[in-house]
Amino acid sequence: MRILSIETSCDETAISVVEARGTLKSPSFKLLSGIVHSQADLHAKWQGVVPTIAKREHAKNLVPVLERALKESGLLENSKVPVRSGKIQNSKLDLKIKKILEREEGLAESFLNFVPNIEIPKIDAVAVTYGPGLEPALWTGINFAKALSAYWKKPVVPVNHMEGHTLSALLPGAVVGVEENIKLKMPVLALLISGGHTELVLIKDWQNYKVVGHTRDDAVGEAFDKVARMLGLPYPGGPQISKMAEGYRGKKTIKLPRPMIHSDDLDFSFSGLKTSVLYKIKELGELSPDLKAELAHEFEEAVVEVLVSKTKKALEKFGVKTLIVGGGVISNKKIRQAFQQLTKENFKDVQLLIPHQSLCGDNATMIGMAGYMRLLSYKSKKTSPQKNFKAKGNLVLK
Ligand code: KG4
Ligand code: ZN
């Protein structure tokens, strides 16, 4: 099955084409094309993502990104009907597209300038992120998927963004050798660490998710971004902090707390850690480059220790067979290494899956993969995506 997938939950406009085969227990994926257009530079001057700007940029970028994704996957064929412009004609289909895209600035025009001029690509479904994420940005992707679905007569599969981050580790070529036909040993524990989430999810079956631990305040990525800001580093701060910390070999005079590390539950808290960094900066006064690097290093250490300790507790508690760590923050080298070390030393029988660097941040490939798993489970439950859509997530696709 071939899935075209769309992701616009934050500041990346992404479209992929994924070829998927196999069963829920042993799926196999092949990436035909994966385009990610980042808006990070545009948001950097605001030190964070501005939802209205993100929405406007998605509307501008979706059609060019679609064209690239189709071209790279070899699915782009020019239509045999005469070339037409984006001017809306009064056909029923054009008016339907115009209606679906009425809130997306300029998108109906660029859609009608491109889509009618190409052959319907050989795909079976359109998968799209429906949440969680920034609502205005999400809607642009959802409406675009609905317009493509109307034009191409293909079903839309709504996908949860966090489900996507979980599935991202199953693409062959992921860090710890995913073979062509991976056999997934259940239960799976997923540690999802991104800019908006920090959660431990127990998965007994696909579509059967139980959040067993989560952050009570800031997400890990958010803490990285805020601490980076305090140290005068640009957005997004995670990669900047890890770069700064990486080279630090000096003295260790700064000690930051490890919040909730000894609590009985599996929850996290990162807001106190962030505030401790702020107090430390005030206490130290003028920060030399060396002190900044030491602070970044100690902050990263504190995060690693807390993440590893809570995950260890969850692995023991639930007799987990597979550990997946997903989300933007797992591009961090030190955190990747820490989980490899944890399983190697303490959980030899646990299969560790970490996504390839290119799939840690937001992308549409993971949405296509999760879309396939959704389609398979709908099939096994004899239900349709649309029927299930209202059941989960924060948005409704009509
Ligand atoms: O998954 P993601 O791309 O978007 C969300 O769904 O939130 O995650 C983005 C987050 C940002 O907070 C960013 O600073 C963080 O991931 N991040 C990192 C690193 N690379 C990205 N955090 C720590 N170290 C990194 N190398
Ligand atoms: Zn994400």
Side-chain angles (χ1 to χ4, degrees):
M1 176 181 285
R2 215 173 270 159
I3 300 181
L4 181 124
S5 48
I6 302 165
E7 153 67 38
T8 64
S9 70
C10 195
D11 59 344
E12 259 94 30
T13 315
I15 297 185
S16 292
V17 182
V18 175
E19 180 112 30
R21 279 182 291 122
T23 60
L24 278 172
K25 289 227 162 66
S26 179
S28 121
F29 300 101
K30 191 172 154 203
L31 180 61
L32 300 187
S33 67
I35 309 295
V36 180
H37 178 99
S38 174
Q39 308 168 5
D41 288 351
L42 269 179
H43 297 279
K45 72 170 172 193
W46 309 98
Q47 295 274 349
V49 181
V50 185
T52 47
I53 297 180
K55 183 179 182 67
R56 187 194 70 200
E57 290 299 307
H58 288 315
K60 197 166 93 190
N61 296 326
L62 272 167
V63 170
V65 170
L66 173 69
E67 184 172 2
R68 281 181 60 199
L70 289 175
K71 204 179 264 170
E72 285 191 18
S73 61
L75 295 179
L76 186 66
E77 274 179 62
N78 286 330
S79 173
K80 290 172 193 77
V81 297
V83 173
R84 46 172 284 189
S85 76
K87 204 160 167 291
I88 292 159
Q89 298 169 357
N90 278 333
S91 75
K92 238 173 148 182
L93 194 50
D94 276 25
L95 292 176
K96 190 169 177 185
I97 299 299
K98 193 181 162 201
K99 180 93 187 104
I100 294 172
L101 297 175
E102 68 186 349
R103 298 209 175 146
E104 316 305 334
E105 198 186 326
L107 189 51
E109 289 72 18
S110 67
F111 183 101
L112 290 169
N113 204 13
F114 175 67
V115 178
N117 290 327
I118 60 164
E119 292 290 337
I120 298 178
K122 294 186 179 65
I123 56 156
D124 301 288
V126 177
V128 64
T129 308
Y130 70 87
L134 304 170
E135 279 220 15
L138 283 164
W139 275 115
T140 309
I142 293 171
N143 287 332
F144 190 62
K146 283 161 79 178
L148 287 176
S149 160
Y151 218 96
W152 292 341
K153 315 248 176 313
K154 306 283 179 194
V156 176
V157 191
V159 173
N160 182 293
H161 183 79
M162 302 316 288
E163 203 175 343
H165 275 305
T166 309
L167 263 297
S168 65
L170 300 194
L171 193 76
V175 129
V176 195
V178 171
E179 315 113 39
E180 264 294 306
N181 273 305
I182 185 176
K183 293 264 179 312
L184 276 170
K185 285 185 248 151
M186 298 288 182
V188 173
L189 179 76
L191 170 69
L192 302 176
I193 42 179
S194 70
H197 289 79
T198 302
E199 52 193 28
L200 280 164
V201 186
L202 186 65
I203 306 168
K204 289 190 180 152
D205 274 309
W206 293 107
Q207 314 294 307
N208 179 356
Y209 307 120
K210 189 170 176 215
V211 178
V212 292
H214 61 92
T215 180
R216 297 199 180 164
D217 38 59
D218 292 355
V220 199
E222 190 182 353
F224 265 99
D225 294 338
K226 286 177 177 167
V227 167
R229 199 162 157 179
M230 291 174 201
L231 294 173
L233 299 167
Y235 171 87
Q240 305 281 339
I241 297 243
S242 53
K243 207 171 1 157
M244 191 176 238
E246 203 177 323
Y248 188 74
R249 302 274 179 276
K251 282 185 297 201
K252 297 203 173 119
T253 55
I254 299 169
K255 188 78 190 156
L256 294 170
R258 273 63 175 153
M260 292 183 72
I261 199 161
H262 298 301
S263 70
D264 284 339
D265 51 32
L266 297 170
D267 286 350
F268 304 89
S269 163
F270 292 101
S271 152
L273 176 59
K274 169 197 72 187
T275 314
S276 303
V277 175
L278 185 67
Y279 287 149
K280 215 48 185 181
I281 292 173
K282 282 194 179 143
E283 182 192 313
L284 295 168
E286 190 71 23
L287 286 183
S288 65
D290 217 41
L291 262 182
K292 274 191 186 178
E294 187 184 345
L295 250 178
H297 184 269
E298 170 63 6
F299 169 75
E300 207 176 52
E301 285 282 330
V303 169
V304 168
E305 278 179 38
V306 174
L307 290 177
V308 167
S309 149
K310 290 288 165 135
T311 306
K312 187 165 179 249
K313 214 178 258 179
L315 289 173
E316 281 160 358
K317 185 169 175 185
F318 300 110
V320 170
K321 301 254 172 58
T322 306
L323 171 64
I324 291 178
V325 192
V329 180
I330 197 59
S331 11
N332 184 294
K333 219 157 97 190
K334 197 183 258 178
I335 304 179
R336 291 171 93 90
Q337 283 165 355
F339 282 102
Q340 281 175 280
Q341 196 180 337
L342 172 74
T343 45
K344 203 168 140 203
E345 287 175 4
N346 301 290
F347 300 92
K348 286 201 176 57
D349 297 332
V350 172
Q351 179 181 30
L352 172 69
L353 303 175
I354 297 179
H356 186 267
Q357 279 286 358
S358 63
L359 294 189
C360 292
D362 290 345
N363 64 84
T365 306
M366 65 185 196
I367 302 305
M369 295 165 75
Y372 177 68
M373 299 301 258
R374 277 218 166 194
L375 277 174
L376 286 187
S377 39
Y378 293 142
K379 221 158 127 190
S380 68
K381 288 178 194 138
K382 296 199 172 42
T383 175
S384 75
Q386 270 72 11
K387 266 193 202 148
N388 261 354
F389 199 81
K390 281 188 185 172
K392 283 175 192 156
N394 57 359
L395 287 173
V396 175
L397 185 71
K398 290 201 187 85

